Amino acid sequence: MSSVVKKKTAANISVLDTLKLLDDEFHEVAEGVAKGEYALWLGSGISRERVADLRVVARRVLDYLSEEARAEAGDGPFKRALSKALDYALTAAEKAGIDQTVEPAQWANIDTIIDRLMGKYALLLDLRIAGKPSDHLVWDIVDVRSTYANDNLEPDCEHVAIAVLALEGVIPKVASANWDGLVEKAVASITHGNQDIVAIMVRADDIPGANGRTHLHKFHGCAVRARQNEGLYREYIVGRDQQITDWPNDPKFALMKNQLEGMSVTYRTLMIGLSAQDSNIKDIFSAGRAMLRRAWPAHPPAYVFAGDELGAEQGTMIKSVYQDDYDNHQEEIEKGAKIPAYGKPLLSALVLSVLGRKFATFIGLANAPLLAAPERKTIADGAMGIRDLIAALAGDSSDDKRKFISGLVAGIARNLAMFRGDNNALVNGVYGPVGTVPIGQIANDPNLQNSGMPELATFVGAVGLGTAVEGWTLSQSVGGPDAGSFSISTPASVTPQKVFVVSNNETVSKLVGDGILDESDTNTIVAICSAPVARRQTNPSATYGRAGKDDAPSGCREFSFKSLVENATGADHLLSRLKEEATL
């Protein structure tokens, strides 16, 4: 009996398969993201499993109008508002079949009504009730403050991945139509509350002099800010049709509009979870096109959307920006403009793609005068193999992907904290980025060769070759930091060997002093990414480097991996020397 193969879609594609897309068909997009060339445009799709989405919003408003209309005597304002709401969703014949004297849950076609209202949410939210403020449905019924600024809301996979990309310095600009504060909360959660990484911009006064590695433009407002300061931020909560229509010409949004129009042409666009159905978004890109016409083909692609198919409004954007090129190359343009992966798999894969490309860049810049470019490429391929092994750990469900990104971030935070000897980061789970700049700027870092990062990347690549060529098995560390960065088992040494990779000898001394590294443990490997320096060991019998040929190790195997890199003549030679020094 043959099993049915599930069709791969943007909703069920795995992180690993998405990563393969970024390595192959969409490699220019992945490279562009790693170079900091793309701005992210975010919509409710990235938050729908954490906060009320448009379906919930539409149902909440409809239920409210119905309840008030049923309690109302005569033809009052709520009955009129409910009637208009139904007009937005139904034909006259369909509407005639609705018994408005009963609650919406009893309407046979309630799901159809809600589906249609989702596409006209702005009109629904702009219904006016006599005696109520114009934003009554948004502020009081949708209840922006409690719904989108609730302290109990937790970031989802997408928000954490965006936070990592921000810390890695590859998304300098983000435009978000979302009211929630989950991206900001994700950044705080992995930086121990650091508020300086991402600059939040809602009002014009938030924009001048804004610092931060990433600028987050919340052009439809921020519920968190509105809850904190209603007087300043309530009027910036945009969701009603009149607000969206007036937005391009409303003076209070003029500076934000200017920023976003500039962003639409100075950066390439990666749109995730945003349908672009709001007219002001289309106005932004139309104005951008007037300043700079995007020719096709563009390398990397100028506009990319996450999903199986382009939405109607996204298609309109593509037509607008490419003009005659679209008429002549519609199929090719649309194919290249859609990555068939939604937020969770795409953003998780982008994190791994960026980290992999940074490691490959570090390997290319390592001080290894005898390593030719093809040999460095082989080592980088080993690092990509490790990256792919990690990607394969991500399960299929939303919960699986949440656990995956949380575990990935925690693991990187822990291992880099130990590598750098940063006890504060280790204790508080602070994500210290692999690097704070896009890949094209890494070579300009004056501290690069003293950081140990080129050697760390090369070590990961060499271990990757060991898994592919020598049959090594890698395991995640379980327990506290004394379990090491990870463990290796080999056909010649089935007992797992704890591995510590550290930046320099001073870090080794810190780890020993803190009781994390036990120098007397013969099943421990310590790879130091700096030149060998005489260091007084707490266990004088422990060996620096591999034990003598006829001697059993009497302690951990500690060696300068930097020396191995500097003297390596090829990828195979480096792997062989690593095996010798680590006695694997």
Side-chain angles (χ1 to χ4, degrees), residues 241-504:
D241 189 60
Q242 181 186 345
Q243 291 176 299
I244 292 170
T245 301
D246 291 346
W247 191 94
N249 300 305
D250 188 328
K252 69 174 176 287
F253 294 115
L255 186 54
M256 178 68 77
K257 176 175 176 284
N258 178 270
Q259 293 275 306
L260 297 182
E261 288 174 353
M263 188 191 308
S264 75
V265 293
T266 55
Y267 292 90
R268 299 169 195 276
T269 293
L270 176 54
M271 197 168 284
I272 304 176
L274 182 64
S275 68
Q277 72 183 57
D278 295 332
S279 61
N280 62 333
I281 297 174
K282 287 179 279 192
D283 285 343
I284 288 166
F285 283 90
S286 179
R289 182 192 60 79
M291 290 187 282
L292 176 67
R293 181 181 178 275
R294 293 283 192 184
W296 186 88
H299 302 285
Y303 302 92
V304 185
F305 305 86
D308 290 311
E309 300 294 338
L310 294 180
E313 290 80 8
Q314 294 169 341
T316 298
M317 280 181 53
I318 290 292
K319 294 171 189 173
S320 174
V321 297
Y322 285 125
Q323 299 281 307
D324 292 343
D325 285 337
Y326 180 86
D327 296 336
N328 298 323
H329 303 282
Q330 177 179 347
E331 186 175 348
E332 302 101 304
I333 287 175
E334 290 190 354
K335 182 180 179 181
K338 55 189 181 186
I339 298 181
Y342 288 139
K344 282 183 173 62
L346 177 56
L347 287 163
S348 298
L350 277 172
V351 167
L352 291 169
S353 173
V354 166
L355 296 180
R357 290 170 189 275
K358 285 195 171 187
F359 269 49
T361 301
F362 284 133
I363 292 168
L365 295 169
N367 182 20
L370 304 179
L371 273 182
E375 298 299 319
R376 293 175 189 257
K377 173 64 166 57
T378 298
I379 296 169
D381 287 344
M384 296 307 106
I386 297 294
R387 179 204 66 174
D388 292 349
L389 289 174
I390 293 171
L393 297 174
D396 294 332
S397 72
S398 291
D399 273 344
D400 288 337
K401 291 183 175 70
R402 288 184 195 106
K403 292 175 183 175
F404 170 75
I405 198 70
S406 295
L408 176 67
V409 171
I412 294 173
R414 163 185 148 140
N415 289 343
L416 285 179
M418 288 197 295
F419 172 78
R420 293 164 175 152
D422 188 340
N423 190 60
N424 177 64
L426 183 61
V427 170
N428 294 303
V430 175
Y431 182 91
V434 168
T436 61
V437 296
I439 58 174
Q441 299 176 30
I442 289 175
N444 299 326
D445 180 0
N447 297 315
L448 177 65
Q449 296 303 331
N450 294 323
S451 69
M453 291 304 297
E455 290 74 25
L456 171 62
T458 305
F459 183 86
V460 172
V463 170
L465 293 178
T467 64
V469 176
E470 300 287 339
W472 295 357
T473 300
L474 308 184
S475 301
Q476 294 175 287
S477 298
V478 178
D482 60 340
S485 304
F486 59 93
S487 63
I488 296 179
S489 301
T490 71
S493 177
V494 294
T495 301
Q497 306 294 298
K498 290 192 294 188
V499 179
F500 290 85
V501 190
V502 297
S503 57
N504 52 47

Side-chain angles (χ1 to χ4, degrees), residues 52-120:
D53 62 9
L54 291 180
R55 175 174 295 279
V56 174
V57 167
R59 183 59 186 267
R60 188 177 295 177
V61 171
L62 195 66
D63 284 345
Y64 166 72
L65 294 177
S66 173
E67 181 181 3
E68 294 297 325
R70 283 180 280 119
E72 195 174 48
D75 182 25
F78 287 99
K79 282 187 174 68
R80 291 192 293 272
L82 177 61
S83 179
K84 286 182 181 179
L86 293 176
D87 286 338
Y88 295 149
L90 301 173
T91 65
E94 289 170 331
K95 181 180 176 183
I98 296 291
D99 182 359
Q100 297 183 41
T101 66
V102 301
E103 61 183 359
Q106 297 183 43
W107 299 346
N109 56 349
I110 181 60
D111 290 338
T112 299
I113 293 171
I114 297 301
D115 285 342
R116 294 175 183 175
L117 286 176
M118 287 171 61
K120 297 182 178 180

